[in-house]
Amino acid sequence: MKEMKRYSLTLTVNNETHAVVTPPNRTLLEVLRDDLQLTGTKEGCGEGACGSCTVLVDGQPVRSCLTLAVAMEGRKITTIEGLAQGGKLHPIQAAFVENHAIQCGFCGPGMILTSQALLNDNPTPAEGEIRRAISGNVCRCTGYAKIVKAVQSLAGEER
Amino acid sequence: MEKFTLIGKNMKRIDTAAKATGEAIFSADLTLPRMLIGKALRSPYPHARIVAIDTSKAERLPGVKAVITAKDMCGDKWGVFRYTQDQQFLPTEKVRYVGEEVAAVAAIDEDTALQALTLIDVQYEALPSVFTIDDAIAAGAPQLHDAYPNNINVHVKIDVGDIEKGFNESYLVREDTFSAPEDAYFQGEPYAVVAQFDQAGNLEIWMPNAGPHMKAKPLSNVLKIPLNKVRVRKITIGGAFGGRSEISPADVICAFLARKALRPVKIVYTREENTVATRQAHALVTKIKTGVDREGKVLARDITCHMDGGAYSSTGPIATSVPFLCMEQAYRMDNVRYNGYRILTNKPIRGMYRVHGRAFACGIDIQLDMIGAALGIDPLTMRLRNARQTGDYTPTKSYVASCGMTESIVKAGEKSGWKEKFGKLPPYHGIGIGCNSVQTGFPMGIRGGSQAFIKLNEDGGITVITGIVDNGQGNDNMVVQIAAEELGLTPDDVQLISADTEVTPSDPGSYAMCETFIGGNAVRLAAQDVKKKLFRIVAGEFGIGVDNLTARDRKIFVTENPEKSMSIAKAVRIALSRNESISGEGSYWPNVDPKREWVKNPYGQLSETFSFGTVIAEVKVDPETGQVEVLEVTAAQDVGFALNPQVIEGQFEGGVAMGGQGGMLSEFLQWHEGRVLNPTQFGYLVPLAIDMPKINNIIVETIDPNGPYGAKEAGMSVAMSAAQAYCGAISNAVGVYFHDYPITPDKIVKAIEEKRN
Amino acid sequence: MKLPPFEYLEPSTVPEALSMLDAYRDTVQIIAGGTEVVNRLKLRLISPDYVMNIKKLRDLEGIVDHEQSIIIGANVSVNEIRDSSLLQHKYKAVAEAAFQVAAPPLANMGTIGGNILQNTRCQFYNQSEIVLKGLEVCHKRGGAICLAVKGGKRCFSVYLGDMATALIAFDAQCVLEKSGARRTIPIIDLFTGQGTQPLSIESNELLTGIIIPKQNGAYGSAYRKLRVRGSMDYPLASAAAFLALSADGKIAASRLVIGASGPAPRIVAGAPAALSGKLPEDADFAAAAEMAYELSEGVDNLALPGDYRKKMVRVFAQRALQGARTDMKRGM
């Protein structure tokens, strides 16, 4: 095996800074899960096709399984663990729970973060906009109806 | 006062807040001190003799802590049934599919483990392979197992009534053949296992499972340790859909690696491994001959089905039977013959799937449409004329205690506007209907019943202990809901210990849609046992009879005089001070015929009760591209009683996605010489949010006499009937009856072209 | 799935990037959004010594409206293109293509440069070891057989980028820079047409920008893509069309480009002659679409059968032409 240079990174995750030492061939997903024990971010496919590993980077949904950790210095990363504050569910999490939008829960973290990114950009998305925004996230359990409903419950006035 | 406080209400699930915050731990999320990473070496050959395995180089690689091959095991063969024991967890003689495990390593990290795999030298002698049903049963075909001549793994034969007479008396008889390739589970969570042994030789193991006890027994057998040393632990599970029913080689390999390395080991499958090396769903070819009278009532049916089972038996006898059983439950058919064959091929192993047998169910249903068209009877009426009814016996002699099939057809028809639409829609616009019926368990030997315990605390809270497992469908919540309802507690008062073989009693597992019916009944009985004991104490204190008491709002009060009450906490304290046991116990054994056996005796009560469902789908087809736009789907199902209506709706909606949108439009495995060409989410097209139509949910309640509060099942019937409805709708839109599934756009374009010519 | 080992390069200026490319040449793999390259790395389809991340090159950002052209930096994300009102209005085919790339989160990561320079795909090639191990080595992997076409003497892998097809409809150019030199070539010339080595960019060259010439007079454009699902999927057939009308409403200039139907996007060479001087009517579009069909290659190496995909090139060529007619507007 090739000996690789190791990089000392400072990652900002959920408003906390973390010092990480890693070779360059590790994904953000691996560093979040294995080094920072933020296991709420899931690996469903490893190739960017399922959305389970979605985190927010500077507010935008990003596939952490396709992102090199070394490239993340100076970026603001939000994982699912960063939403709830003071033991209280974030409104998007509460909406998912209230509306039965979670079954097995494996896609949940990625789905919730993707939905929140949409609402940050567009507080009043129409149903079609919600469906399009979450169509990079595969859910095998729900048929998406209650996920759409959960996001709609926070979508303010429909246009 | 309302009858129930929690049951029948849209109760917020107890498990989903932890899932929404990322706190819920799935198997791959576990880390244990000194934990190693395990990886399996897989066969690159579809069929080959293993000549030699040299692991010495891998063993010498720094960081490698254990390497195992078949030599480390005793050559035991696993099978769900005594007569299907044919799979070694690491094979000694030969490999039978591309992806089969041949050796495994545990190392300090994944990179080292992967490098170690490259250092294992396996010498194979390639053998001729078979990849299709026809090739496998042809004379002179290569044989996979000595035990199954002609590669026929299972033959289920059912013969009821007099089909020849039935056909002779028929006004119209037609015969068609339907087929579909394999589909795949694509659970959200790829398979993962963590195992560790302690100094006393106790195994602790975590993995997605559909029944911890079903995992523990084979682990005990193969590890040669008693069952009480096998501790399958509870863990959050990312979906099963039938694909996590049995022991997996990964479980056994992980345990052996952990024992050999004397360190915890974690194996996490890639998405590709999850597709290839767990379970797949069967490919099917079904020939159906049906005879009807002038009114469209079925007089005789003769069905022959061949299923491609892959390399090993798995749940073969069950899989070979269930597609037929669902249909004999859904529709009346007095004279019927069924020959089901499960054929072995050099492809990955197939198991039970939520929409198992789409080429069977769709065949039965679309053939009813064809017959109806010939007789001038519309599809909905054809269903009504053949629908199963309460009080019937199925052909294989199961009594049907409650049946809302007709109600589900009628209500789905009304909601979808069937009468206004069928036959009146514009070109390439169609509507179709599908009906199905599903079991709530079946004879499962000593594992057929469920037991539950309830322990009380002095503050009035309880802990429920049950073997019920939650794969994501909400079973944990169902348990809490039932226990809290019976004892007049809030969900917060209930703690749950479940799906842990060290602690929890026997339970069938989440098989055959039985958890609510069997496990739920056991929990209810345990709670009633506790309630009876508490009432005895309170009745004694109040000097009244136990029949005059009610439990609600954490209190036990006199039914006629609610002012007079005692808190449950106080009742518990009284019991404790008197050294009086108030723990509860409940067990439920379903009324099934224990003599019924899948192959030898496929007659007798199969399941205590059955669900019945109807789906109607309306579609628009683009005749140039063959693309299908689904406009609206109406799902109606007799669930007995809806314990938690939104949970039921979630099952319906998920079922429409999996069975209809995926199962009939886009999902199938593609092959090249035994290799899956679309093992990932880029290739295997699971429906997305943007694809899903509007879904109308109709919950039909027949209040089953024996279900908990009348409940039956909700997970499967809609999924299956959705596939049938989509098939009918597309056929109706195009004006061609489709025989091969899924109905991908290329097939639609071809059908339209052929119709024009 | 794990990444293979590599050393990491992160230039902060274009000259620095170019000198790194010069130094490492064939041993370096450029990465921007990562959506394609990371997968190829994970599958071990490539094992470069160096991975050079160009995402921090600020010079490669921005959509700039110049007098004669629009210049798009290579690092502009696909979503920025989708959302650009300038492109939506004047280069509709480009915006429509961006709208249909993968799914929004992936198009947020992916760049236009990366989308254009993606490699060809094939079911017998884009696979992990579980499929490839023990399988005969095909042309694409350096062997001498084709697994998709029996007896195939060459590689039939398919170019599945959306953006290039749309850009070529506008005769867009791209800027390739290397240390001390810079060339501007038509995007169509980036493609060799060879499945094994589909791109003609030199190992020390960096794609820095896209130039779309401005249009005069009345013109319209459209991009149409076939996929099974409404999101995520690569195209199974695609077509982009550009139509410009003369004052009398007749077609003065046109370009029809097809994608997902061979190792490169292809210009339907006969289309302009078939359409020129005619009113933009379906019958003539059909003749051009027929040429697209003839030009396309339908092989059984993607999600749906090759013969079907080939037929769909005709349908989508027709629809792209119709879309361009609907989009008709005044230029500049």
Side-chain angles (χ1 to χ4, degrees), chain B residues 185-238:
Chain B
Y185 298 88
F186 270 79
Q187 302 97 338
E189 177 197 20
Y191 204 77
V193 195
V194 179
Q196 72 172 349
F197 275 89
D198 66 15
Q199 285 302 320
N202 295 307
L203 168 67
E204 255 189 309
I205 189 164
W206 297 259
M207 82 290 262
N209 67 79
H213 296 281
M214 289 291 204
K215 294 277 196 182
K217 188 63 172 68
L219 281 167
S220 152
N221 290 350
V222 68
L223 289 159
K224 318 288 180 207
I225 57 175
L227 259 177
N228 67 4
K229 286 182 177 292
V230 181
R231 293 157 186 185
V232 178
R233 295 297 192 205
K234 178 170 183 167
I235 191 87
T236 314
I237 296 168

Side-chain angles (χ1 to χ4, degrees), chain A residues 33 42 103 131 140 144 146, chain B residues 19 29 649 667 687 689:
Chain A
R33 287 177 59 83
K42 308 297 180 195
Q103 288 187 27
R131 287 186 179 273
R140 194 56 159 159
Y144 306 99
K146 304 230 178 302
Chain B
K19 289 173 174 175
D29 301 339
E649 288 176 17
E667 291 187 27

Side-chain angles (χ1 to χ4, degrees), chain B residues 325-476:
Chain B
L325 297 172
C326 291
M327 283 293 116
E328 71 148 17
Q329 290 155 210
Y331 295 124
R332 285 176 162 176
M333 43 181 104
D334 295 337
N335 306 300
V336 61
R337 182 163 67 196
Y338 173 57
N339 280 288
Y341 300 91
R342 188 172 186 273
I343 306 302
L344 298 176
T345 62
N346 292 109
K347 292 197 286 188
I349 310 163
R350 283 70 198 265
M352 290 298 296
Y353 181 45
R354 189 191 199 179
V355 260
H356 175 50
R358 53 187 164 172
F360 196 114
C362 294
I364 293 277
D365 248 9
I366 201 72
Q367 198 184 47
L368 282 181
D369 289 6
M370 300 178 201
I371 291 167
L375 297 175
I377 304 169
D378 85 292
L380 190 139
T381 309
M382 282 297 287
R383 297 325 181 263
L384 285 173
R385 288 188 183 165
N386 289 286
R388 177 66 56 208
Q389 303 295 331
T390 305
D392 282 0
Y393 279 87
T394 67
T396 63
K397 303 185 174 50
S398 287
Y399 178 71
V400 178
S402 64
C403 175
M405 180 59 95
T406 296
E407 190 180 342
S408 79
I409 296 170
V410 169
K411 285 189 167 163
E414 283 167 3
K415 178 75 188 173
S416 63
W418 177 275
K419 252 189 216 150
E420 299 75 47
K421 288 176 181 165
F422 182 78
K424 296 164 191 146
L425 294 169
Y428 299 109
H429 193 144
I431 190 165
I433 180 171
C435 300
N436 215 310
S437 166
V438 172
Q439 305 79 34
T440 52
F442 36 60
M444 282 185 268
I446 57 162
R447 194 85 59 217
S450 182
Q451 290 144 28
F453 303 134
I454 293 177
K455 164 183 101 75
L456 284 93
N457 300 322
E458 68 251 41
D459 63 357
I462 65 168
T463 300
V464 181
I465 302 164
T466 163
I468 289 175
V469 65
D470 192 327
N471 294 146
Q473 67 275 73
N475 285 340
D476 281 1

Side-chain angles (χ1 to χ4, degrees), chain B residues 41-42 44 98-99 110-111 114 270 272-273 276 622 624-627 665-666 668 670 672 675-679 681-682 684-688 690-691 744-746 749 753, chain C residues 1-3 39 43-44 106 121 123-124 127-136 147 225-234 302-305 308 311-312 315-316 319:
Chain B
L41 182 70
R42 302 186 177 282
V98 173
E110 192 176 347
D111 285 328
L114 288 169
T270 62
E272 288 89 339
E273 286 180 300
V276 171
D622 180 331
E624 285 186 328
T625 67
Q627 288 174 298
L665 298 182
S666 61
F668 63 108
Q670 294 176 271
H672 175 75
R675 288 171 161 77
V676 179
L677 293 179
N678 55 343
Q681 259 120 341
F682 270 124
Y684 190 86
L685 305 177
V686 171
L688 303 170
I690 205 162
D691 302 315
T744 47
D746 53 303
V749 166
E753 284 171 359
Chain C
M1 207 175 277
K2 295 283 292 181
L3 284 161
N39 276 330
L43 296 175
R44 306 297 195 271
L106 286 163
R121 294 178 67 88
Q123 275 188 331
F124 297 91
Q127 295 287 0
S128 67
E129 189 191 72
I130 211 167
V131 174
L132 294 182
K133 199 174 159 192
L135 198 60
E136 289 168 284
L147 291 159
K225 166 178 177 175
L226 171 71
R227 52 181 168 182
V228 174
R229 299 181 295 182
S231 187
M232 280 306 297
D233 301 349
Y234 285 98
L302 298 175
L304 293 178
Y308 166 75
K311 279 181 213 160
M312 289 307 106
V315 174
F316 283 77
R319 291 183 179 185

Side-chain angles (χ1 to χ4, degrees), chain C residues 109-131:
Chain C
M109 298 173 71
T111 64
I112 183 159
N115 191 283
I116 292 169
L117 293 179
Q118 66 183 272
N119 213 298
T120 53
R121 294 178 67 88
C122 172
Q123 275 188 331
F124 297 91
Y125 172 68
N126 297 85
Q127 295 287 0
S128 67
E129 189 191 72
I130 211 167
V131 174

